Amino acid sequence: MTRASLISVVIPAKDEADNLAVLVPEIDAALAGRTHEIIVVDDGSTDRTAAMLAGLRSEGRPVRHVRHATPCGQSAAVRSGLLAARGEIVVTIDGDGQNDPAYIPALVAALETGGGRIALAAGQRLARTDGAMKMLASRFANRLRGAILADGTRDSGCGLKALRRDVFVLLPYFDSWHRFLPALVIREGYGVVHVDVVDRARRFGRSNYGIFDRGLRGVLDLFGVWWLRRRRKRIPMVSEVEAADV
């Protein structure tokens, strides 16, 4: 197995044992034709997540359990998973089960067929099942982000994404970073493709990453990303000169 043939799926999750018990086998089935690993980043969970993941591993599921000692937030969990990933292509998916793993092969295919200049395949949700308040906040945030960053992305908050890991390591990190991936990837000179996906209703529990932690901080992050993009004036085209070429 080579790094290029391996697909890493990263799931940030806090107290999502019941949803993960369904989601992990679904991901395993969706990628049955590809070599893959599933990295659950346990963001300081206090439920039975550890025992449930141990059970899945004993069944032969390709699951890795990466744990934060204390909750650090969704962005930190996504980053920890990406850093731990062994594959060149990394797929992110939310741990609440609302993202449908059936779309993972389409995201990977869109990234692979895009060529070397495409670094991100981003899911964009249709027929969303979230509550009215969450959808209103998300719609406002996406419109504001699109007007300021012009990243061509209708829905940057969708957890389903496929990303080249070598490009990920170039990106600046900050809380809420995962919501600005299209703009940050474009900043590095790479392209973004989009895949329409349909969310599902949450099966168990309630969200542990709420909308009210995105308000003012989200606006500040937005202008921070705008500043970062303006500060990147020229992207170098790098090549190594061989001795025979001198």
Side-chain angles (χ1 to χ4, degrees):
M1 179 182 65
T2 66
R3 190 180 181 96
S5 67
L6 176 67
I7 296 172
S8 300
V9 181
V10 170
I11 313 173
K14 182 177 183 296
D15 294 330
E16 297 284 9
D18 291 334
N19 286 308
L20 290 170
V22 178
L23 182 62
V24 169
E26 287 182 327
I27 295 170
D28 203 12
L31 288 172
R34 301 287 300 260
T35 305
H36 61 279
E37 63 176 359
I38 302 169
I39 304 170
V40 176
V41 183
D42 171 5
D43 189 26
S45 297
T46 57
D47 64 357
R48 57 185 187 86
T49 291
M52 185 276 301
L53 293 177
L56 289 173
R57 285 200 301 274
S58 70
E59 295 173 6
R61 304 286 184 184
V63 180
R64 296 170 59 195
H65 182 185
V66 174
R67 177 171 170 79
H68 290 169
T70 57
C72 296
Q74 190 173 5
S75 278
V78 172
R79 181 172 183 263
S80 292
L82 280 157
L83 289 171
R86 296 168 179 153
E88 286 190 0
I89 291 179
V90 183
V91 175
T92 64
I93 184 170
D94 289 345
D96 59 11
Q98 287 190 256
N99 298 153
D100 190 340
Y103 292 99
I104 292 178
L107 285 165
V108 172
L111 186 61
E112 290 178 330
T113 59
R117 301 312 302 168
I118 300 298
L120 174 66
Q124 296 194 121
R125 291 167 289 187
L126 302 171
R128 293 182 61 179
T129 60
D130 292 321
M133 188 68 177
K134 190 172 183 179
M135 288 181 64
L136 183 63
S138 180
R139 188 177 298 119
F140 171 77
N142 277 307
R143 286 178 178 173
L144 181 62
R145 188 209 70 257
I148 293 174
L149 299 182
D151 59 5
T153 300
R154 184 183 72 241
D155 176 22
S156 71
C158 179
L160 266 172
K161 294 182 176 73
L163 175 68
R164 283 174 44 187
R165 190 183 182 281
D166 63 322
V167 175
F168 152 71
V169 298
L170 303 176
L171 306 181
Y173 172 75
F174 52 90
D175 282 344
S176 296
W177 149 96
H178 68 288
R179 298 189 182 100
F180 297 96
L181 275 176
L184 294 173
V185 165
I186 291 169
R187 177 180 181 265
E188 296 299 326
Y190 293 93
V192 177
V193 294
H194 301 94
V195 176
D196 286 340
V197 302
V198 178
D199 259 6
R200 312 178 291 189
R202 170 185 273 273
R203 289 187 179 92
F204 307 103
R206 59 182 179 80
S207 176
N208 293 294
Y209 298 121
I211 64 172
F212 295 109
D213 61 352
R214 305 176 194 171
L216 179 59
R217 285 189 299 172
V219 173
L220 293 173
D221 289 338
L222 174 60
F223 283 99
V225 174
W226 172 82
W227 181 84
L228 281 171
R229 289 193 63 182
R230 283 183 61 84
R231 296 301 298 166
R232 188 70 185 261
K233 296 297 185 183
R234 184 175 298 174
I235 299 170
M237 297 183 66
V238 181
S239 61
E240 183 172 353
V241 179
E242 301 293 339
D245 297 331
V246 177

